Each structure stands twice: as C-alpha cells, then as structure tokens.
Amino acid sequence: MQRVALIGYGVMGGTHANAYKEMPGAELVCVIDIDEAKRRKAEETLGVRTYATFAEAVAAEDFGILDCCLPTFLHPDAVIEALDAGKHTLCEKPMALNVEECKRMIAARDRSGKHLQVCHVLRWWPEYVKLKEVVRSGKAGRLRNVTCTRIGSTPLWSWDHWLEDVERSGGALIDLHVHDIDWVCAMLGRPKAVFASASEIDRATGPAHVYATYLYDGIAAFAEGAWDQASGFEMACRVTCEDAVVSYSSAQNPTLQLQTASGSEPIPFDKVALDGAAAEEGNISDLGGYYAECKYFVDCIESGTTPSVVTAEEAMQNIEIAQAEFESLRTGKSVELP
C-alpha cells in the first residue's frame, strides 16, 4: 500500500484526490494547502488530516509519495523539497515555467534516487491512447499529418487568479497548449523547428489564442490552443494517413472515429469506469485519464519500476518547445530546436 500526501487542493488537487479514493493500492493520508478554507474542505470531503506546509506534514505523517497539484510557479521548489526529503514525486503539468527550473527538478531527482513523473494526462487519456495505437498499427496507412485543437474559455476560477497571470502560469500557451505540444511529440518525436502565431497577446495574461506549426521531414503537424472562447471546452486530435483519417473530438459522437472513402466507423476503446465525481470547476469531465496517470505512478513505485510513459526529460522538452513558441511570437520567425 502506497501512502500519498497531496499538496495543493484546488481543481486539480480535488481531481487527484477523487482518483485516490477509487484506487486500490493507494491511501491518501493528508492534504497540504496554505488556504485554511481548502484545508477544512479537504477534512470534510476526504476525511483526512491537513497541514499548511510540507514541513508540517513530513514531520507528522508517514508517506512515500508526494502528489504536487500546486500552481505552476510553485512546482520547482515544492518538488525539489519533496525529492530532497526522500519522497517519490508526482507533479501536475506543466513541469515548470522554463527549462532552467526543469533542470533543477531533474537534478533533485537524480541526487535523491527517487522517481519523478509529470502528469501529461493525454498519455493516459483512453481515446488518445487508442488513437495512437490505431495509427501505429498501420491500419490507416502511412502517417501524413497531425492536427490538435484545445480551446476553451479563460479560467477565472483559479486561486488568487494565478492562471490569468502569464508570469505565474505561462498563460494559455504553457498551461493549456502544452498538452498538445506533448501529444505531438508523443506521436512524432522532437520537431526540427517551430513557428507560432497568436491572434492577441496581452501583457498580463499572454497570448489568448495560439497557432503552432511543428516542422518534421515529410510530415506536417499543427496545434491550436485558446482561452478566448465565450463558453465551453473542446479538445481534439485528427491524424491523416494515406488510407484513412483517425479522429478524436470531445465534441463529436462517437468521440473516436476511423474515416475512410466509404464512410466513418466508431473505434472502440477501453474507458476507465469510476464512481467518483469529477472536479467541481474547470473543464474536467472525466476522471479516467487522471486516475490512470496516478495509478500508473503508484503501481511503478509499488513494483520498483522506473516510470517511463512520460519522462521528466520529455516534460522538460515540452517547456523548451513552449519557450521556442514564445520566441517565435516575439520575432515572427520560425525557431530551430537544437
């Protein structure tokens, strides 16, 4: 049984907590949050002990895993403190706001000998997992292009409005669009270069709607990320191959389809069935992918296996590409990736 402490009881913290409630092999022993109201909510909702700081929790509780769901600008120090204290650490995406902070986190992992996994949830999202499996099987023919979309309204619900502050969240480009940076890399590997444009860039919140083209030899890849929709949320991925198109969209029914010259057919996939409720805020409608990523990490620790679905180095690469996109927005030119 792996004992877990959760730091940061906001939208994502609540989602991870719900996942642990459903998970054999894991026990959520405490929640850490500086906000007294959130601590009271955790005590009432989860029935666990709560603490204001990691130092208080580590002095009072016996746990082997820290699950970090703090705001992004707080990730590096919290993760490094946990690793240095000898705790395996699960960290919500994005890993950090810049590559230098990611390197600090990886150095802490290496000196501690503990495991660090960053939660790029699409690697475990059932439809995305199946889509990749179908494309890699060759059933649709040679891959030609990948198009990703992730659009929603500005998240106004975050603690202290940190998501609306590009200095603390990276704005839509890093907090939201990084999902599809990661997915393009999961499908195609590291791009040679990136070109980005944006419909609007606000000094405080950053780009509201980002369009990015990733350059590969013989394959086209594109991703759109936005926080400027009036309402609602949609995520999608379309992979065009020689013989068919494999497409997922949260807005289409069925959500996962194989499209050929003769028509469309649904693609069956294994959905994670859970009784727990999803988060009360944000755009989270299904616990499945979040449960799967947390369970994967718990299972790796339980079995003594190094987590490999997404490595910390890959999570750092996503931030490197995001930084290249910011540079492309600044210069109006494509940016090569060494």
Side-chain angles (χ1 to χ4, degrees):
M1 176 68 70
Q2 294 298 316
R3 294 169 61 83
V4 181
L6 174 70
I7 187 166
Y9 193 57
V11 169
M12 288 312 308
T15 302
H16 284 216
N18 284 333
Y20 290 121
K21 286 196 299 185
E22 303 289 325
M23 192 181 302
E27 178 187 1
L28 182 63
V29 297
C30 67
V31 167
I32 307 161
D33 201 294
I34 62 170
D35 189 310
E36 184 179 357
K38 290 184 177 179
R39 294 200 303 274
R40 286 199 304 268
K41 181 179 178 181
E43 290 166 1
E44 295 167 1
T45 304
L46 304 171
V48 297
R49 292 176 293 279
T50 63
Y51 303 92
T53 67
F54 175 79
E56 292 174 6
V58 79
E61 300 286 352
D62 175 24
F63 60 92
I65 295 174
L66 181 79
D67 186 327
C68 179
C69 290
L70 290 170
T72 304
F73 70 100
L74 298 174
H75 285 180
D77 287 348
V79 166
I80 290 167
E81 184 178 24
L83 289 167
D84 283 346
K87 309 302 181 184
H88 299 293
T89 305
L90 187 65
C91 179
E92 251 304 329
K93 68 83 214 159
M95 187 174 183
L97 293 174
N98 57 64
V99 169
E100 290 69 29
E101 295 283 31
C102 295
K103 288 179 178 178
R104 288 180 58 220
M105 296 160 79
I106 289 173
R109 178 204 64 185
D110 291 346
R111 68 173 173 262
S112 71
K114 299 300 179 181
H115 294 307
L116 169 62
Q117 176 182 300
V118 179
C119 294
H120 282 286
V121 71
L122 298 192
R123 304 285 190 115
W124 289 271
W125 202 271
E127 289 97 327
Y128 281 85
V129 171
K130 187 64 176 182
L131 179 148
K132 183 179 179 182
E133 178 186 314
V134 171
V135 171
R136 292 284 173 85
S137 74
K139 179 179 180 180
R142 185 176 65 86
L143 190 157
R144 287 181 169 170
N145 60 68
V146 175
T147 302
C148 295
T149 302
R150 190 165 306 272
I151 55 176
S153 56
T154 304
L156 303 175
W157 36 258
S158 62
W159 167 79
D160 196 36
H161 299 283
W162 72 271
L163 280 170
E164 300 165 65
D165 179 359
V166 69
E167 296 298 324
R168 294 189 290 171
S169 70
L173 196 158
I174 286 185
D175 188 79
L176 179 77
H177 175 64
V178 76
H179 278 297
D180 294 309
I181 295 176
D182 180 68
W183 188 248
V184 167
C185 291
M187 292 292 295
L188 303 174
R190 182 182 178 88
K192 297 172 64 176
V194 62
F195 175 77
S197 61
S199 60
E200 178 183 0
I201 301 178
D202 182 274
R203 184 182 299 273
T205 61
H209 205 130
V210 180
Y211 305 86
T213 301
Y214 307 96
L215 306 183
Y216 294 90
D217 291 328
I219 296 174
F222 171 84
E224 173 191 19
W227 271 355
D228 62 355
Q229 305 303 289
S231 62
F233 176 76
E234 179 184 358
M235 59 179 177
C237 179
R238 184 180 70 250
V239 181
T240 303
C241 300
E242 283 183 321
D243 303 322
V245 173
V246 187
S247 69
Y248 162 72
S249 171
S250 60
Q252 73 182 13
N253 187 22
T255 57
L256 190 58
Q257 299 181 20
L258 182 71
Q259 301 164 315
T260 65
S262 59
S264 299
E265 62 181 75
I267 300 174
F269 61 93
D270 296 327
K271 193 171 180 65
V272 181
L274 293 171
D275 295 328
E280 298 172 359
E281 299 171 305
N283 55 38
I284 298 164
S285 60
D286 192 329
L287 270 177
Y290 301 101
Y291 174 89
E293 70 184 356
C294 294
K295 187 175 188 303
Y296 171 79
F297 189 68
V298 166
D299 288 348
C300 283
I301 304 308
E302 188 75 11
S303 64
T305 303
T306 300
S308 60
V309 170
V310 56
T311 66
E313 286 78 8
E314 289 174 309
M316 179 172 68
Q317 176 180 263
N318 295 334
I319 301 305
E320 180 186 4
I321 294 169
Q323 287 186 294
E325 290 188 29
F326 272 117
E327 178 67 9
S328 181
L329 291 176
R330 187 184 69 81
T331 63
K333 299 177 181 179
S334 64
V335 176
E336 293 187 1
L337 295 164

